[in-house]
Amino acid sequence: MPLIDSEALTDFAQALLSAAGMETDKAEATARVLVEGDMIGHETHGVGLLPWYLDALADGSLRKAGDYEVVSDRGASFVWDGHLLPGAWLLTRALEQAAERVSQYGVVTAAIRNTHHTCALSAYMRELTDRGLIVQISCSNPAASRVAPYGGTKPLLTPNPIAAAFPTSGDPVLIDVSTSITTTTMTQTLAKAGQKFPEAWALTAAGEPTDDPREVTEHGGSLLPLGGALKGHKGYGLGLMVELLGQGLSGKGRANTAPGPLAQSAFIQVIDPEAFAGIDAFREQSDWLADACRSNPPGPATRGAVRVPGDSAARHRRAALAEGVPVDDALWPRIADRALALGVPLPTVRG
C-alpha cells in the first residue's frame, strides 16, 4: 500500500481539484479534510473520493466556485444555503465562524442546506477539541433514500451520521457513527466487489433480512437502521433526529427537495465549556471517564484493552504523520490516471 507524506498528499489533492476548476480556498479545505479522513482511518471518505469529486466537478453537480447564502443569522445561530458548493469548505467555514463566536455566546448552532458531500465528519474535530471546545455534527441527504423506517420496507432516510468530539488532557473522545448499521459507500463498495455483509445488515424489497448488498444497490432493498432487525427502532429514532435537526432547521428537506444525486443538510453545534463549569472542570470529568473505560476489565472477545471512541483514530493519525498516509493499492492507479490527464505531478511515494 503506497505511503505518502501527509502534506505532500494534501498539496497533491488540492492541485488535482484546482486543475479541475475548483476555487483555491475550496480546493484547499477539501483536500485537507479528505487527507485527514485517511489519516484517522476513514479510508472510504478519504482521497479515494477524488475521482468521484472530479467527475462531479465536470458534470456540474459539485459547484466549482461561488459563495454560500446567509439565510438567517442571530449570532448564536445561523443558517446557510450552500448552493451545492464543496461540503468540506462549507463545514470548515461554518465551524470557524462558530468557534469565533462561541466565547461570546457559549453555544453556537448552525444549519446548512444544499451542501455537497461532507466527507468524514470526524475529520473536522481535532482542531476544535485542541482549543478546548466541544463539537457536534450530523448530516443527511434529503435527495436520496437508503434506509426504510423501522417496520417498513421502502427506503426513505439516509444513513445520517452523527459525530461528536470532547476534549480531554490527551486525545479527544471522538464519536462518529451512522444511524444505519452500515453506510452507503460501504454498501456500494461491497456490491461492486461481489462481497457480502458480515451479517444481515439490509432488507430485501419485500422486507426480508439479507446479507447481500446488491439487494440494496440493484433490487430496491434498504439498509437496516442501527440495531438491526430486532432493535432497529433505536437507529430509526436517531435517524429521524438527524433529519429534523439538519433539514428542519435549515428549511430544506424531503418536503421540498426533489430526488437527485446529492443535496445534503447539516447540523453543527460548538460548545465552549468555559461558559459552563469551565474547561478544567470538564477535562477532570472527561479524563476520569476515559481512563475508567480503558481500565475496565476486558471481556473474552475483546482484543487487548477496552478502547474509548477516538483511540483508534488517534493511533492511525500518529502513524500517518510519522510514516505517511496509506492509500489503497486499487485506488492509487485510478487517482494517478486522473493526475496524468490533468497534468498534475504525482507526489513521492514512500513505500
Side-chain angles (χ1 to χ4, degrees), residues 14-337:
Q14 180 178 344
L16 268 181
L17 294 167
S18 294
M22 188 182 286
E23 283 185 323
T24 300
D25 60 337
K26 297 168 181 63
E28 190 278 331
T30 302
R32 189 175 68 251
V33 173
L34 287 174
V35 172
E36 181 71 14
D38 278 315
M39 289 175 65
I40 61 177
H42 286 246
E43 296 89 353
T44 58
H45 287 66
V47 295
L49 292 174
L50 282 170
W52 173 41
Y53 279 27
L54 295 173
D55 289 341
L57 287 167
D59 66 26
S61 58
L62 169 56
R63 287 187 60 197
K64 301 175 181 180
D67 207 349
Y68 54 82
E69 174 188 352
V70 178
V71 179
S72 172
D73 192 338
R74 298 191 178 188
S77 64
F78 57 91
V79 177
W80 292 350
D81 190 315
H83 295 302
L84 295 179
L85 289 162
W89 177 75
L90 288 165
L91 262 63
T92 297
R93 284 294 180 88
L95 288 166
E96 287 172 352
Q97 179 165 295
E100 289 170 1
R101 298 180 178 186
V102 76
S103 60
Q104 177 182 357
Y105 295 107
V107 179
V108 178
T109 305
I112 308 175
R113 65 196 194 197
N114 292 325
T115 169
H116 201 269
H117 190 251
T118 50
C119 308
L121 299 187
S122 51
Y124 300 89
M125 305 297 197
R126 186 83 187 215
E127 186 173 339
L128 284 98
T129 58
D130 283 351
R131 296 167 61 177
L133 302 175
I134 298 167
V135 59
Q136 301 181 63
I137 310 174
S138 60
C139 67
S140 59
N141 181 13
S145 301
R146 296 285 185 269
V147 182
Y150 185 68
T153 59
K154 182 180 178 180
L156 174 63
L157 312 176
T158 40
N160 297 357
I162 302 173
F166 305 89
T168 72
S169 296
D171 294 319
V173 175
L174 179 56
I175 300 163
D176 188 348
V177 296
S178 293
T179 61
S180 58
I181 287 185
T182 190
T183 65
T184 298
T185 302
M186 180 59 70
T187 302
Q188 292 170 339
T189 300
L190 291 175
K192 190 177 295 185
Q195 299 176 357
K196 303 285 188 179
F197 292 129
E199 297 175 343
W201 286 358
L203 296 176
T204 66
E208 295 296 330
T210 178
D211 64 355
D212 188 352
R214 288 171 294 185
E215 289 292 334
V216 177
T217 59
E218 300 175 18
H219 304 299
S222 62
L223 298 176
L224 277 165
L226 195 64
L230 294 179
K231 299 293 183 182
H233 61 281
K234 299 182 179 183
Y236 171 40
L238 292 173
L240 288 176
M241 180 185 75
V242 170
E243 300 232 347
L244 291 171
L245 286 173
Q247 298 174 29
L249 293 180
S250 74
K252 192 69 180 289
R254 297 190 184 279
N256 54 4
T257 297
L262 198 67
Q264 289 189 319
S265 299
F267 172 83
I268 294 170
Q269 191 166 69
V270 176
I271 302 171
D272 185 359
E274 290 292 358
F276 296 85
I279 186 60
D280 292 338
F282 185 87
R283 285 194 176 116
E284 180 183 17
Q285 300 302 322
S286 62
D287 286 353
W288 187 96
L289 189 58
D291 290 343
C293 289
R294 294 188 185 100
S295 62
N296 198 276
T302 303
R303 296 180 180 179
V306 175
R307 294 186 301 177
V308 170
D311 285 354
S312 179
R315 186 178 68 252
H316 276 97
R317 194 173 192 276
R318 280 190 285 271
L321 287 171
E323 303 164 11
V325 182
V327 182
D328 185 79
D329 286 317
L331 287 172
W332 185 241
R334 292 176 54 208
I335 297 172
D337 287 345

